[in-house]
Amino acid sequence: MKAANHALVVIDVQNDFCPGGALAVAGGDEIIIRINGLMDRFATVILTQDWHPATHASFAANHPGAAPFSLATMPYGPQVLWPTHCVQGTAGAAFHADLRTDPAQLILRKGFRPGIDSYSAFFENDRTTPTGLEGYLRARGVTGVTLVGLATDYCVAYSALDAARLGFQVTVLQGACRAIDLNGSLAVAQDQMRAAGVALEV
Ligand code: VGL
Ligand code: ZN
């Protein structure tokens, strides 16, 4: 068992990010067995769930003429336009059936505001609107987090960078993550995480 002040945060292990899903990450389902085993080693287990309204501004389908995976400029900065995914209440937004959910004390949903995406479990993509996770962790005395899940280069990396910026001790278990790797995004994310003092472990 890890120290009581260290939490496991499982990012977006949802059907749409697994093979067959709307925004499938290669091998996304391969990490589930390891994540399930990790849950017993942490006193605090948190799951996140990407949870978009159908009208969400990050969906290419809501930008006439825009191709999936193209870039748009939002008031808060550049935003990748994704295939429609993780729509609230759909099967694609549900956790993968093999993921253990019973050990989790908190399920945190993000990306529910129509006009702004939220890759990070801590802040929306303007990097200032909080999700509340920081307060939850601090109120419970958590000072370190281990991150696993999908996708390494988007929601995991953004969460890791925000956690480091907030002063948490951060570990990413890369073997329990899979990446989208859009135009070299994985290498960029790894460099940024390393520079921020995130421990990148296998
Ligand atoms: C994610 C793209 C869009 C992720 C979520 O979970 O990494 N990526 N929404
Ligand atoms: Zn999303």
Side-chain angles (χ1 to χ4, degrees), residues 139-155:
R140 294 197 52 188
V142 171
T143 56
V145 292
T146 291
L147 297 170
V148 297
L150 304 170
T152 321
D153 43 348
Y154 285 94
C155 291

Side-chain angles (χ1 to χ4, degrees), residues 27-40:
D29 55 345
E30 296 168 0
I31 63 178
I32 295 172
I33 289 180
R34 181 163 172 208
I35 293 173
N36 284 345
L38 286 170
M39 290 181 186
D40 297 323

Side-chain angles (χ1 to χ4, degrees), residues 13-95:
V13 181
Q14 294 165 262
N15 289 324
D16 270 342
F17 297 123
C18 291
L23 181 43
V25 181
D29 55 345
E30 296 168 0
I31 63 178
I32 295 172
I33 289 180
R34 181 163 172 208
I35 293 173
N36 284 345
L38 286 170
M39 290 181 186
D40 297 323
R41 301 181 39 209
F42 290 81
T44 298
V45 177
I46 295 159
L47 310 181
T48 71
Q49 205 169 16
D50 212 35
W51 196 250
H52 301 308
T55 55
H56 200 252
S58 78
F59 295 166
N62 294 327
H63 298 257
F69 305 106
S70 63
L71 265 185
T73 304
M74 301 292 192
Y76 54 84
Q79 168 72 50
V80 178
L81 297 181
W82 302 106
T84 298
H85 64 278
C86 296
V87 173
Q88 295 169 2
T90 64
F95 290 115

